């Protein structure tokens, strides 16, 4: 389910500079954009995974000018480092036209059973991991009066879920950021998209499923909410 505050004309991908990730939703978006002629910067921590994904994406090229650039960085750790690598990417491939914020991780469990440092780690990866790259490209987008920032939230960012006390608030935070940011950038022809995907078949989801707690049914939760 995609939700945007406004509905501008669709961004044509040919020759555009789009960021993506090395796995999951970020990788799929990168492939789709590349198929439409975009230039791609992949951002992730794992260098081997980045190179593997680069090779996979390059099979879909539609012209010989297209480039897939790899950047190994932890987007949630050090803002200056994130800013520097995105600056380098923009020097090579031109300004970012569409930034896709897809860094995310999950821990499930009962509130009192989740390690305290997990709350901090999830907020860093899922929230600051989207704040930092967005902050690094926003000034250029506003100057050019063009650009789109995509935040990958979750259905757990619209509704609190049993077992997701560490995860759900980080995804709610993205929604607040996106709505406030859209108000600021709309006059500059910059647009913000929030995606609220359900459970999606990704490596991250496979990892999360290993620790899932037994949870009341949706019906039970609905009845509980009704009362």
């Amino acid at each position: 389910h995609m939700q945007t505050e406004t509905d501008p004309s669709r961004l044509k991908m040919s020759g555009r500079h789009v960021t993506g990730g090395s796995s999951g939703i970020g990788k799929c978006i990168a492939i789709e954009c590349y198929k439409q002629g975009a230039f791609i910067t992949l951002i992730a921590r794992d260098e081997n995974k980045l190179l593997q994904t680069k090779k996979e994406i390059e099979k879909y090229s539609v012209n010989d000018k297209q480039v897939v650039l790899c950047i190994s960085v932890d987007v949630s750790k050090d803002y200056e480092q994130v800013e520097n690598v995105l600056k380098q990417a923009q020097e090579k491939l031109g300004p970012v036209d569409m930034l896709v914020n897809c860094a995310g991780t999950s821990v499930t469990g009962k509130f009192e059973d989740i390690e305290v440092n997990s709350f901090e780690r999830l907020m860093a990866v899922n929230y600051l991991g989207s704040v930092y790259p967005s902050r690094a490209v926003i000034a250029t987008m506003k100057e050019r009066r063009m650009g789109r920032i995509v935040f990958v939230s979750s259905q757990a960012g619209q509704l609190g879920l049993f077992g997701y006390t560490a995860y759900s608030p980080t995804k709610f935070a993205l929604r607040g950021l996106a709505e406030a940011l859209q108000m600021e950038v709309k006059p500059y022809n910059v647009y913000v998209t929030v995606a609220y995907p359900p459970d999606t078949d990704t490596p991250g989801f496979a990892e999360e499923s290993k620790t899932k707690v037994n949870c009341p049914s949706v019906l039970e939760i609905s009845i509980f909410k009704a009362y």
Side-chain angles (χ1 to χ4, degrees):
H1 171 60
M2 302 293 278
Q3 177 179 322
T4 52
E5 296 303 314
T6 45
D7 189 22
S9 59
R10 199 171 153 192
L11 188 67
K12 292 194 170 45
M13 285 296 145
S14 185
R16 300 289 188 203
H17 182 186
V18 177
T19 70
S22 64
S23 69
I25 292 170
K27 173 180 161 182
C28 292
I29 292 173
I31 289 172
E32 287 308 311
C33 293
Y34 198 70
K35 282 178 179 174
Q36 293 176 42
F39 289 69
I40 306 291
T41 294
L42 295 175
I43 304 170
R45 287 170 303 175
D46 186 329
E47 279 191 52
N48 292 332
K49 211 188 275 186
L50 278 167
L51 294 171
Q52 208 177 319
T53 304
K54 174 181 160 82
K55 281 181 189 164
E56 199 178 324
I57 293 174
E58 283 171 342
K59 292 177 194 164
Y60 298 100
S61 71
V62 291
N63 65 60
D64 55 9
K65 289 180 184 149
Q66 278 177 287
V67 176
V68 180
L69 186 66
C70 291
I71 290 178
S72 176
V73 68
D74 184 338
V75 289
S76 67
K77 281 263 168 72
D78 177 352
Y79 173 70
E80 282 185 11
Q81 202 182 0
V82 174
E83 191 179 39
N84 286 338
V85 294
L86 276 163
K87 196 176 166 191
Q88 287 166 26
Q90 295 189 100
E91 280 164 7
K92 286 179 184 165
L93 301 185
V96 170
D97 295 292
M98 185 163 85
L99 177 78
V100 182
N101 289 297
C102 50
T105 187
S106 178
V107 170
T108 57
K110 291 196 176 149
F111 183 58
E112 67 273 26
D113 295 336
I114 297 171
E115 295 282 339
V116 171
N117 66 2
S118 293
F119 291 90
E120 205 173 317
R121 184 170 63 85
L122 262 64
M123 192 56 86
V125 175
N126 298 353
Y127 179 66
L128 294 178
S130 292
V131 170
Y132 292 168
S134 303
R135 179 77 166 63
V137 302
I138 198 74
T140 309
M141 285 185 174
K142 284 170 77 176
E143 277 165 26
R144 296 174 69 222
R145 294 189 173 264
M146 182 178 151
R148 178 176 292 279
I149 292 179
V150 180
F151 294 103
V152 180
S153 179
S154 162
Q155 287 197 342
Q158 291 181 312
L159 177 77
L161 294 175
F162 185 102
Y164 287 85
T165 51
Y167 178 79
S168 213
T170 67
K171 294 298 189 174
F172 266 79
L174 286 176
R175 179 179 183 168
L177 170 65
E179 289 180 4
L181 183 60
Q182 177 67 79
M183 289 177 185
E184 290 186 24
V185 300
K186 192 181 171 187
Y188 297 89
N189 197 41
V190 175
Y191 292 93
V192 178
T193 298
V194 189
Y196 296 100
D199 287 349
T200 307
D201 184 9
T202 64
F205 179 62
E207 202 56 41
E208 174 196 322
S209 299
K210 293 176 188 173
T211 61
K212 271 205 170 147
V213 288
N214 288 329
C215 133
S217 70
V218 172
L219 179 64
E220 285 175 289
I221 290 172
S222 305
I223 292 167
F224 174 71
K225 279 191 169 286
Y227 289 94

